Amino acid sequence: MTQRNLDEMRKKIDDIDSKITALFKERMETSLDIAKYKKEHSLPVFSDRREKEILHKVSEEIGEPFDGYARLLFNTMFDASRSCQNNYLARKSDLTERIEKALEETPKLFPKKAVVACQGVAGSHSQAACEKLFEVPSIMYFNSFEGVFNAVEKGLCQYGILPIENSSYGSVGAVYDLMQNYNFHIVRSIRLRISHNLMAKPGTKLSDVKEIFSHEQAIGQCGEFLKSLKDVKVTVCENTAIAAKMVAESDRNDVAAISSKECLDLYGLELLKKHIQVSDNNYTRFICISKKLEIYPGSSKISLILSLPHVPRSLYLTIAKFAALGINLTKLESRPIPGSDFEFMFYFDLEASVYSRELLNLLSELENQPETFVFLGCYSEAI
């Protein structure tokens, strides 16, 4: 093949693309005409039987080896047509009204004072995140993440702070699993640089240590250091600050805790080894939750929970909807649905604003589908 032959074939592709573009535009315009008819006669947008008939016909006409590619192309066009029709037929949904109400009622400035629920005890990383978000917080401590969710949902406090993911050790699965069970909204998030330190009661040497206590996330983030120790038991507890408190109150002299430097003075401990995490650039992202939907000025991140049909391409088609609007998907987390047969709930983080009418229409479309849809909030992230 010569360069001239290649150029001729590319020219042929360009001509074909021009025809496809014109036909696609004609198809979408016809799809809008159909949407007008459906609106007049109160008909649903989606017709499963109609789409299956077209796919069967296309597959037979095009044959192998291109029938699979053709089905993919036509499924994509079906999805584009449905989205176009849904946008035309869109009515103000409950979600849209809730978002507009939140935009109207939320104060222009994030509060300086609040009663805030944190997991653990004094000296925890959740406390540190809380004190970076609020100038004068009144902190209520709970033994578990579930206690924080409960406190917010029952109105015991206005806000709650929860760790959601770590740059070295990934997502905090326990928090994601609890999200399915509670009514809450995310109103702010913050990234906190985490430094883990090994500490023990005064007089204890590193060689004396036979057992180390900490939270499972901290243990994972310090994996390389812990591997270097010989004959040392590692025990998981609820929180890094609780670990420090346990060591301080223990009658043993062979135990240590992985915790924050704030716990050294707070619990009268001594430093055995500092900065034992795998990476110096070790950050944990915390979310601030509220029962009430609050959307503060400058909010540019959206979080959602979705369940999807247990069929091929369902996740791809959902992601494609956001891609079509030029929305960046920054996180996708899947968690098993309890009691289901290998079905999953999906958690999305998007770089997007609720001021976009096209996005609101898409969110309304997702809300009106039979599967689970939860709008967790639109918020900004502090650093």
Side-chain angles (χ1 to χ4, degrees), residues 89-306:
L89 298 170
R91 298 185 298 270
K92 186 175 287 189
S93 67
D94 291 341
L95 175 61
T96 300
E97 291 180 352
R98 288 196 295 116
I99 289 174
E100 290 178 350
K101 182 179 179 182
L103 288 170
E104 181 181 342
E105 295 181 354
T106 302
K108 301 303 180 185
L109 296 176
F110 195 73
K112 296 181 179 180
K113 300 179 181 180
V115 179
V116 187
C118 290
Q119 188 262 346
V121 294
S124 67
H125 294 298
S126 291
Q127 176 192 337
C130 178
E131 290 176 346
K132 286 182 72 73
L133 285 175
F134 300 93
E135 290 184 16
V136 190
S138 177
I139 300 177
M140 299 173 63
Y141 291 103
F142 294 85
N143 291 333
S144 65
F145 296 139
E146 188 161 21
V148 175
F149 278 110
N150 256 316
V152 171
E153 185 174 78
K154 292 179 178 178
L156 299 177
C157 56
Q158 187 176 357
Y159 300 105
I161 302 292
L162 292 160
I164 198 74
E165 63 181 324
N166 176 263
S167 58
S168 302
Y169 200 61
S171 299
V172 184
V175 173
Y176 276 103
D177 289 338
L178 288 166
M179 283 184 180
Q180 302 178 35
N181 305 327
Y182 291 92
N183 176 28
F184 72 97
H185 296 92
I186 303 173
V187 298
R188 187 64 62 94
S189 67
I190 185 169
R191 284 186 292 163
L192 188 69
R193 188 169 186 173
I194 303 295
S195 175
H196 292 302
N197 307 275
L198 187 68
M199 55 193 69
K201 291 197 291 186
T204 303
K205 298 177 182 178
L206 181 57
S207 57
D208 299 329
V209 175
K210 299 300 180 186
E211 187 171 8
I212 295 175
F213 298 93
S214 197
H215 186 266
E216 61 180 343
Q217 276 277 331
I219 291 169
Q221 294 162 34
C222 302
E224 293 301 316
F225 170 77
L226 293 173
K227 287 179 184 177
S228 70
L229 303 178
K230 305 298 182 183
D231 300 321
V232 175
K233 180 182 178 182
V234 178
T235 300
V236 175
C237 61
E238 297 92 337
N239 183 273
T240 56
I242 289 175
K245 189 171 185 289
M246 287 171 56
V247 168
E249 295 174 352
S250 173
D251 57 3
R252 295 169 57 184
N253 292 311
D254 61 349
V255 293
I258 297 174
S259 192
S260 64
K261 63 181 181 180
E262 286 77 12
C263 289
L264 285 170
D265 294 334
L266 191 60
Y267 296 109
L269 300 177
E270 287 185 351
L271 183 67
L272 296 182
K273 188 79 173 178
K274 64 180 180 179
H275 308 321
I276 61 173
Q277 67 275 0
V278 173
S279 171
D280 286 337
N281 290 319
N282 185 44
Y283 288 86
T284 294
R285 181 173 168 236
F286 294 81
I287 53 173
C288 178
I289 65 171
S290 170
K291 186 174 181 178
K292 182 181 179 182
L293 177 60
E294 300 175 357
I295 304 176
Y296 290 89
S299 296
S300 59
K301 183 186 288 286
I302 290 175
S303 292
L304 310 169
I305 298 178
L306 290 174

Side-chain angles (χ1 to χ4, degrees), residues 315-331:
L315 179 58
Y316 161 76
L317 290 174
T318 300
I319 293 174
K321 294 177 189 291
F322 294 109
L325 296 181
I327 294 171
N328 186 29
L329 177 64
T330 58
K331 184 175 177 64

Side-chain angles (χ1 to χ4, degrees), residues 46-101:
F46 178 58
S47 174
D48 184 56
R49 180 180 176 182
R50 168 74 174 156
E51 291 188 4
K52 284 180 178 177
E53 288 175 350
I54 294 173
L55 287 175
H56 181 72
K57 179 182 176 183
V58 167
S59 185
E60 283 193 337
E61 287 181 355
I62 201 164
E64 293 184 357
F66 303 122
D67 58 331
Y69 301 109
R71 291 171 69 88
L72 176 62
L73 172 62
F74 272 78
N75 270 307
T76 302
M77 285 199 299
F78 292 158
D79 194 56
S81 293
R82 284 197 301 271
S83 292
C84 184
Q85 290 185 8
N86 280 320
N87 277 331
Y88 174 78
L89 298 170
R91 298 185 298 270
K92 186 175 287 189
S93 67
D94 291 341
L95 175 61
T96 300
E97 291 180 352
R98 288 196 295 116
I99 289 174
E100 290 178 350
K101 182 179 179 182

Side-chain angles (χ1 to χ4, degrees), residues 336-354:
I337 300 174
S340 67
D341 186 14
F342 294 100
E343 295 186 29
F344 294 84
M345 197 75 76
F346 294 92
Y347 300 81
F348 291 79
D349 282 350
L350 317 167
E351 287 183 347
S353 170
V354 291

